[in-house]
Amino acid sequence: MFEYIVSKYNYWVYIFLMMLGLYGMIGKKNLVKKLIGMNIFQVAIILFYISIGSKVGASIPILTAEDLHGSANPLHYMNPLPHVLMLTAIVVGIATTGVALGIIIMVYNRYKTLAEDEILEIRKKSGV
Amino acid sequence: MILPLDLILLLFVVITGIAALQIKDLLGATIILGSFSFFMCLIYTEMGAVDVAFTEACVGAGVGTVLFIAAVHKTKRRSKD
Amino acid sequence: MKVFALLTVIITGVMLVYGAEDFPKWGDPNQPGSVHVAPRYTQGTYIEAGTPNIVTSVVADYRGYDTMGETTVIFTAGMACILMLRKKKRGEGESNV
């Protein structure tokens, strides 16, 4: 049992970060706090993929001089595929964060507040 | 893969993640989110993903923090929760 | 509301812990993600793409269309930000702001 827990410790940390991000998105009222929760959630997924790609006793995915011509042993290098996918995911995540911050600025210009419940109150009062 | 270093870094990540969600000052929360990103960058380096690590360091921690600070500057800094 | 959020989060966490049973161990060299196409990338990168950095050759050579789509996404996000945050001229767009 203890060995089982230790052999998968990265998965426990990623599960905890995912729960933290989900709580931030659901439980917090402030819109910027919701966005911070979304960032944490995204980082948890990236951590999951990166930890899938790692191998015990392997090196970084850059070939050394003697392995250049097709003689590389795949056990000596990390799996490069999750790294590539997460490279894309990080940049796209920052782009979505930027769009979300733009929407937050527009919401603030219209309602003069960032709290979700106050925005709902104003909308209910004005009959929208 | 160095297990004690990994455990210490993961502990720091958890602490900064909780702090970024709990602090009431939005500017402080943003800066702590930046430090969260840098600790994640150290974890990626430690797991052997160097390209992901420097992308995270310049895009995730740098540009992301700048965008957040610009948005907080244009809106309100105080938060109720 | 806080109770509802905590309940949702805890249910999600229990489901994730249940799902973690099937994951491979940390750093297992023979896990399913590392045996299918990744060895081919590792061995063929210098012969086929001419760079020793495997991640670079996969991003720019083997999966170049993926990177092109990513560029489209970032361009769309930038255009959306510009359209949302520009200063409005008088008589244009009273619906927002």
Side-chain angles (χ1 to χ4, degrees):
Chain A
M1 186 65 200
F2 182 71
E3 198 175 331
Y4 175 76
I5 292 178
V6 169
S7 72
K8 297 188 175 181
Y9 66 95
N10 55 331
Y11 296 128
W12 312 134
V13 174
Y14 115 82
I15 286 172
F16 184 78
L17 282 181
M18 201 172 257
M19 288 166 68
L20 199 65
L22 202 60
Y23 176 74
M25 279 199 285
I26 298 175
K28 296 287 175 184
K29 292 280 196 298
N30 193 292
L31 292 180
V32 180
K33 279 288 173 67
K34 280 179 192 287
L35 204 54
I36 289 177
M38 196 185 86
N39 258 328
I40 292 176
F41 193 89
Q42 173 199 350
V43 161
I45 294 172
I46 294 173
L47 175 65
F48 170 61
Y49 268 77
I50 295 293
S51 61
I52 275 185
S54 64
K55 298 173 186 169
V56 169
S59 174
I60 60 173
I62 297 175
L63 294 182
T64 50
E66 61 263 24
D67 280 346
L68 284 183
H69 297 286
S71 62
N73 186 356
L75 292 180
H76 293 168
Y77 299 98
M78 302 275 184
N79 184 5
L81 206 50
H83 300 180
V84 175
L85 301 179
M86 288 310 108
L87 216 62
T88 311
I90 288 176
V91 180
V92 171
I94 284 301
T96 51
T97 305
V99 175
L101 285 169
I103 294 175
I104 283 178
I105 291 175
M106 281 180 70
V107 167
Y108 182 79
N109 283 340
R110 183 157 180 170
Y111 294 103
K112 300 299 169 201
T113 177
L114 280 183
E116 186 193 16
D117 43 352
E118 292 176 16
I119 291 175
L120 288 178
E121 195 83 9
I122 293 173
R123 283 179 69 89
K124 200 183 288 177
K125 212 174 284 175
S126 65
V128 178
Chain B
M1 169 205 175
I2 310 160
L3 190 63
L5 180 64
D6 207 3
L7 287 180
I8 290 172
L9 286 176
L10 288 171
L11 183 70
F12 270 118
V13 160
V14 168
I15 290 173
T16 47
I18 293 176
L21 275 182
Q22 290 299 329
I23 284 184
K24 292 199 167 41
D25 184 8
L26 285 181
L27 196 59
T30 304
I31 300 297
I32 289 182
L33 190 72
S35 74
F36 173 83
S37 286
F38 273 118
F39 280 122
M40 285 314 292
C41 157
L42 285 178
I43 287 182
Y44 299 152
T45 316
E46 195 264 338
M47 284 187 177
V50 278
D51 299 78
V52 184
F54 68 66
T55 310
E56 172 82 21
C58 57
V59 176
V63 180
T65 309
V66 169
L67 288 178
F68 264 105
I69 288 178
V72 170
H73 174 71
K74 277 195 168 244
T75 59
K76 226 170 24 179
R77 193 174 154 180
R78 290 278 148 207
S79 152
K80 276 189 301 184
D81 55 354
Chain C
M1 192 61 199
K2 289 257 193 255
V3 180
F4 173 67
L6 272 179
L7 204 66
T8 315
V9 165
I10 287 173
I11 288 175
T12 314
V14 168
M15 282 165 61
L16 286 172
V17 168
Y18 174 69
E21 203 178 314
D22 292 337
F23 287 153
K25 279 183 186 168
W26 195 90
D28 185 8
N30 292 318
Q31 55 185 327
S34 301
V35 293
H36 181 53
V37 75
R40 188 188 180 282
Y41 288 151
T42 307
Q43 284 166 348
T45 171
Y46 193 75
I47 302 167
E48 292 170 358
T51 163
N53 190 338
I54 308 169
V55 176
T56 312
S57 73
V58 177
V59 163
D61 273 314
Y62 290 108
R63 302 196 169 207
Y65 277 117
D66 196 1
T67 311
M68 197 181 75
E70 178 197 350
T71 324
T72 317
V73 169
I74 296 165
F75 177 74
T76 314
M79 291 310 288
C81 280
I82 289 175
L83 288 178
M84 274 190 293
L85 296 179
R86 66 181 173 160
K87 290 257 190 297
K88 297 276 187 324
K89 289 182 202 150
R90 283 186 192 284
E92 182 195 0
E94 287 94 353
S95 61
N96 45 14
V97 181

